[in-house]
Amino acid sequence: MARAGGITNAVNVGIAVQADWENREFISHISLNVRRLFDFLVQFEATTKSKLASLNEKLDVLERRLELLEVQVGNASANPSLFAT
Amino acid sequence: MELEHPTATPLNSAMTYDEASMERSKSFVNALQELKNLRPQLYSAAEYCEKSYLHSEQKQMVLDNLKDYAVRALVNAVDHLGTVAYKLTDLLEQQTFDVSTMDLKVATINQKLLTCQIYTDKEGLRQQQLLAFIPRHHKHYILPNSVNKKVHFSPQIQIDARQNPFQTRTRFQSSGTPAAKTLSWHLASETKSTLKGSSHASPSPNTENPKFSAKASGVFHLLDNEENTWMKSSPAQIYFPNGVPTSSTPMHTLGGTGKDALEGSKPLTAFRSFDYQNRRETVQVPTRSKSVLSAFFVKQKTPKLKAGSFL
């Protein structure tokens, strides 16, 4: 009778250990994927900032060129006789 | 109907483009809003799971259910994040494209403006060329620099000659020809006088000219006074026969050729004696007072002799 009780205890311990291992594996898997997600977000942020900066620069240059053209067109319209001739 | 189509199509295309861009913006905003709303949901789910696990008696079953829910929630969150990222990237690309298009349009306008400016400049230059009158001179009236210099140089020479005609004459005189003539003439006259004096010493003055006899008497007086000095008597003799050669020269020429040979040899001796006499005179003149009288006498004689020679 004592032998039967000992065997049962061992089986129970084994089952418990297996369950704990599975839980730990699940946790590590979840944490790894979360870290990958974090890395993706960081990279996406950097890329997006770079694109925005480039776009901002282009807009500034375009604005300056437009101002210059406005001035030139204004001068031309102020002296229509030149274009009329 | 045909005219309406080309006018309507660009408007429709513009509207469709604007609508598409607006739709993209709206979808991005909606996705972002959903992602923001997902956060409180996850927090509430986490609290519920914690409470159910603590208060439930069947913990294993609750744990399994919680695991499944967590996985699904995480997947949902990742899906939302992916959607938002994609839409944001699409929006940025669209904006970049729009900016590039605008840049090209501005470049086109700039090029057109430059073309207009170039055209106006050319027209202005053409008008200036037509209006400006550039005078042109005939080649005949245009002289090179070298010719101009020569022309400027030659009038100066003429002016110099005109301003100082006497200087030119003096230069001509100073060239040396009159001195040479006078010297040769003097030497010839001396040679002739010596010959005539030696051949016809006494009869010629008495017979031919009374003026010369008076001169001769004067000369004799000088000789009597200056017997001591033979040097001074010699130039007197030289000057005395100067008047005689006018009468005696034709006789010699008519006489014969032998005398000509003697005349050819004698000028050398006369020249030598003349040099010797000049040296002694220069040395002795300042010491004696009588030399002054002889010089005065000589000065008086010279114009008379010259007058006789002219006659």
Side-chain angles (χ1 to χ4, degrees):
Chain A
M1 292 298 289
R3 290 180 178 178
I7 292 168
T8 304
N9 288 331
V11 169
N12 289 329
V13 169
I15 291 168
V17 167
Q18 186 175 1
D20 184 66
W21 181 259
E22 289 177 353
N23 288 332
R24 289 177 181 275
E25 185 179 4
F26 178 77
I27 290 165
S28 67
H29 188 68
I30 292 294
S31 65
L32 180 62
N33 283 291
V34 168
R35 186 173 293 107
R36 289 175 66 184
L37 182 63
F38 177 76
D39 292 336
F40 168 76
L41 289 173
V42 170
Q43 184 177 359
F44 181 76
E45 183 183 9
T47 306
T48 306
K49 282 185 176 179
S50 176
K51 287 181 179 179
L52 284 170
S54 176
L55 190 63
N56 191 17
E57 186 177 358
K58 287 183 178 180
L59 285 170
D60 288 337
V61 171
L62 191 63
E63 188 176 3
R64 290 177 183 174
R65 290 178 71 181
L66 282 170
E67 288 179 355
L68 180 62
L69 285 172
E70 285 179 356
V71 171
Q72 290 179 353
V73 170
N75 290 330
S77 62
N79 297 318
S81 62
L82 294 174
F83 291 97
T85 57
Chain B
M1 292 300 291
E2 293 179 356
L3 294 173
E4 290 178 358
H5 286 291
T7 58
T9 51
L11 294 174
N12 292 329
S13 65
M15 292 177 69
T16 53
Y17 180 78
D18 292 336
E19 287 177 358
S21 65
M22 290 295 292
E23 288 294 331
R24 287 174 183 168
S25 299
K26 286 181 180 179
S27 65
F28 171 73
V29 171
N30 291 329
L32 189 61
Q33 190 65 35
E34 287 177 1
L35 185 62
K36 287 181 179 178
N37 292 329
L38 187 62
R39 183 176 181 182
Q41 291 178 6
L42 290 173
Y43 276 108
S44 64
E47 289 178 357
Y48 175 78
C49 290
E50 187 176 2
K51 288 180 181 178
S52 64
Y53 180 79
L54 291 174
H55 295 290
S56 177
E57 292 179 355
Q58 297 179 356
K59 293 182 182 294
Q60 187 64 36
M61 186 174 68
V62 171
L63 184 61
D64 292 336
N65 289 328
L66 289 176
K67 285 181 180 180
D68 291 335
Y69 183 79
V71 168
R72 290 177 183 176
L74 188 62
V75 168
N76 190 13
V78 168
D79 189 11
H80 279 285
L81 284 171
T83 303
V84 170
Y86 172 77
K87 290 184 182 296
L88 182 59
T89 305
D90 189 11
L91 188 61
L92 285 173
E93 288 179 354
Q94 186 64 34
Q95 294 293 329
T96 305
F97 179 74
D98 291 339
V99 169
S100 298
T101 305
M102 190 66 70
D103 193 3
L104 287 173
K105 289 181 179 179
V106 169
T108 304
I109 293 166
N110 193 9
Q111 185 65 34
K112 288 180 179 179
L113 191 61
L114 287 174
T115 305
C116 291
Q117 287 180 355
I118 290 165
Y119 178 75
T120 52
D121 292 338
K122 287 183 177 179
E123 285 294 322
L125 288 173
R126 188 173 67 81
Q127 290 178 3
Q128 290 294 325
Q129 287 176 0
L130 292 173
L131 293 174
F133 178 76
I134 299 168
R136 293 178 182 275
H137 298 285
H138 193 267
K139 291 181 180 178
H140 182 68
Y141 299 105
I142 296 168
L143 297 173
N145 292 323
S146 60
V147 174
N148 290 324
K149 288 180 180 178
K150 288 180 181 178
V151 169
H152 287 297
F153 185 69
S154 60
Q156 290 177 359
I157 292 168
Q158 291 176 0
I159 291 163
D160 291 334
R162 291 176 183 177
Q163 287 178 355
N164 297 315
F166 296 103
Q167 290 180 359
T168 56
R169 291 179 183 178
T170 55
R171 288 178 183 175
F172 181 75
Q173 290 175 359
S174 66
S175 65
T177 53
K181 289 182 178 179
T182 55
L183 183 62
S184 64
W185 182 76
H186 188 68
L187 291 172
S189 64
E190 287 179 356
T191 54
K192 290 177 182 177
S193 66
T194 53
L195 292 171
K196 290 175 184 178
S198 64
S199 63
H200 302 285
S202 61
S204 61
N206 294 324
T207 57
E208 293 178 355
N209 292 321
K211 293 181 180 180
F212 290 112
S213 65
K215 292 179 181 179
S217 64
V219 171
F220 288 130
H221 287 291
L222 289 172
L223 290 170
D224 293 332
N225 293 324
E226 297 177 357
E227 289 178 355
N228 294 324
T229 58
W230 292 96
M231 296 304 294
K232 292 185 179 180
S233 64
S234 62
Q237 290 176 357
I238 291 164
Y239 285 105
F240 170 74
N242 287 327
V244 177
T246 57
S247 64
S248 64
T249 49
M251 295 176 69
H252 286 287
T253 54
L254 293 171
T257 59
K259 293 181 180 179
D260 294 333
L262 292 170
E263 290 177 356
S265 64
K266 287 181 181 179
L268 296 173
T269 56
F271 184 76
R272 290 177 182 176
S273 63
F274 183 76
D275 290 335
Y276 183 71
Q277 291 170 1
N278 286 326
R279 290 178 183 176
R280 290 186 178 182
E281 289 178 355
T282 55
V283 172
Q284 294 177 0
V285 165
T287 57
R288 296 179 182 179
S289 63
K290 291 181 180 180
S291 65
V292 175
L293 294 173
S294 65
F296 181 76
F297 185 76
V298 169
K299 287 180 181 178
Q300 287 178 354
K301 286 181 181 179
T302 50
K304 291 180 181 179
L305 293 171
K306 287 181 181 179
S309 66
F310 283 112
L311 294 171

